[in-house]
Amino acid sequence: MTGRFAGRVAIITGGGKGIGAGCATVFCQEGGRVAILDRDVLAGELTAERLTAAGPGMAVSFPCDICDSETFCRIIDDVAVRWGRIDCLINNAGIHPPATTIDDTSLEMVEQVMRVNYLSTFAGAKFAVPHLRKTKGTIVNISSMTAVLGQDRSSAYASSKAAQVGLTKSLAIELGPQGIRVNAILPSNIDTPLMHEWAATLDDPQSALARVAALQVFGRMGTPEEIGRIALFLATEDSSFITGQAIEAEGGASLDY
Ligand SMILES: NC(=O)c1ccc[n+]([C@@H]2O[C@H](COP(=O)([O-])OP(=O)(O)OC[C@H]3O[C@@H](n4cnc5c(N)ncnc54)[C@H](O)[C@@H]3O)[C@@H](O)[C@H]2O)c1
């Protein structure tokens, strides 16, 4: 089989929809085998079926809530047994609570956001590293531009995304000598179900989406596949001298202040 990821295996959390599905699409198009770990069982299965039918790679859905660390760890080990290797882990699954002031943000909410967005990223890396040592593989963490820019009434979310960047840099130092590269992608605004769910919480969703699209210099949001192509670059030898980086995939949104 040909393709830039042919013969290799990726695990993608939250691969059923949005950015995760965009990554899965690109990795399958490049001949890879992809394990989609998603708590939305139907979305995971539909995406896996669609990608396998399109080829040349294939995808299999593994129902998994990544907050259930025992199941998360078992599935990572199962994938390694099933396909004999793991070359890349994409820690993508994440949540964004509705905009909330610090006064109205409960500590339980902070804990939940940190658990999904940060602790599961840590757990995924911890569980995958024994397998990645064998392939000299890579970890790609999907963070956010909010990690460096902040976001109004989103302090729990933005700090969970900043924590992913700190983890990325520290693991890059620790694991680099063992041949494992670790990088993060920081998207600005990407057209995904999460984006539409966020807009739906506002008074005028359509104008909110138009406002968000206008933030990028291209006047549009990014697509999940555009993030997937950056993830593929970070997962292959094309980026062999890059580790510990927070790649700002933001369509120029932070320029011209
Ligand atoms: N969409 C954007 O504009 C944007 C911008 C910056 C960063 N991000 C980040 O990208 C990542 C993906 O976002 P998206 O917009 O594609 O979201 P999305 O909601 O459209 O898709 C996320 C997927 O993750 C799954 N998921 C969520 N929690 C899970 C859990 N506990 N266990 C297993 N699966 C779970 C969902 O079922 C869904 O399929 C998130 O980490 C998000 O913070 C998104």
Side-chain angles (χ1 to χ4, degrees):
M1 193 186 296
T2 56
R4 288 165 66 200
F5 210 67
R8 286 190 256 183
V9 172
I11 292 180
I12 304 178
T13 67
K17 280 183 288 197
I19 291 173
C23 293
T25 302
V26 171
F27 279 60
C28 279
Q29 282 169 348
E30 292 294 339
R33 281 169 292 181
V34 174
I36 291 175
L37 276 57
D38 206 301
R39 69 176 173 188
D40 184 335
V41 181
L42 185 61
E45 277 169 8
L46 289 176
T47 300
E49 273 170 30
R50 177 173 58 78
L51 297 183
T52 301
M58 63 175 296
V60 174
S61 160
F62 295 84
C64 176
D65 184 328
I66 53 166
C67 296
D68 173 356
S69 50
E70 225 170 273
T71 306
F72 192 11
C73 183
R74 181 179 49 73
I75 290 175
I76 288 177
D77 289 344
D78 285 354
V79 170
V81 171
R82 183 183 186 130
W83 285 330
R85 57 190 296 138
I86 296 172
D87 298 276
C88 177
L89 168 70
I90 303 184
N91 283 307
N92 160 77
I95 54 170
H96 192 319
T100 322
T101 62
I102 191 164
D103 308 86
D104 292 336
T105 302
S106 68
L107 295 185
E108 288 72 25
M109 173 55 78
V110 179
E111 221 163 41
Q112 194 203 345
V113 171
M114 289 302 282
R115 177 163 283 278
V116 180
N117 293 0
Y118 169 69
L119 190 60
S120 301
T121 299
F122 191 105
K126 177 177 170 62
F127 302 147
V129 154
H131 305 291
L132 296 172
R133 281 197 184 101
K134 297 179 193 156
T135 55
K136 301 207 183 302
T138 58
I139 297 172
V140 178
N141 297 322
I142 306 299
S143 172
S144 162
M145 281 302 288
T146 63
V148 288
L149 297 179
Q151 188 177 30
D152 184 30
R153 290 171 299 140
S154 300
S155 49
Y157 176 78
S159 18
S160 73
K161 292 286 145 183
Q164 285 181 305
V165 174
L167 175 66
T168 299
K169 290 181 183 292
S170 299
L171 286 182
I173 298 167
E174 179 180 333
L175 300 174
Q178 302 166 39
I180 300 174
R181 293 185 298 109
V182 188
N183 288 291
I185 302 174
L186 279 54
S188 55
N189 298 292
I190 311 299
D191 197 349
T192 68
L194 180 71
M195 176 62 73
H196 288 263
E197 283 160 25
W198 165 80
T201 65
L202 306 174
D203 289 341
D204 183 353
Q206 276 320 310
S207 56
L209 289 171
R211 233 182 13 256
V212 163
L215 291 173
Q216 285 65 230
V217 295
F218 308 127
R220 66 168 177 88
M221 288 188 245
T223 68
E225 287 75 17
E226 284 178 307
I227 302 303
R229 288 198 288 276
I230 300 168
L232 180 74
F233 168 70
L234 293 173
T236 62
E237 293 71 29
D238 287 346
S239 61
S240 56
F241 205 53
I242 296 179
T243 196
Q245 298 307 303
I247 310 287
E248 300 189 357
E250 43 78 278
S254 62
L255 304 174
D256 199 19
Y257 69 96

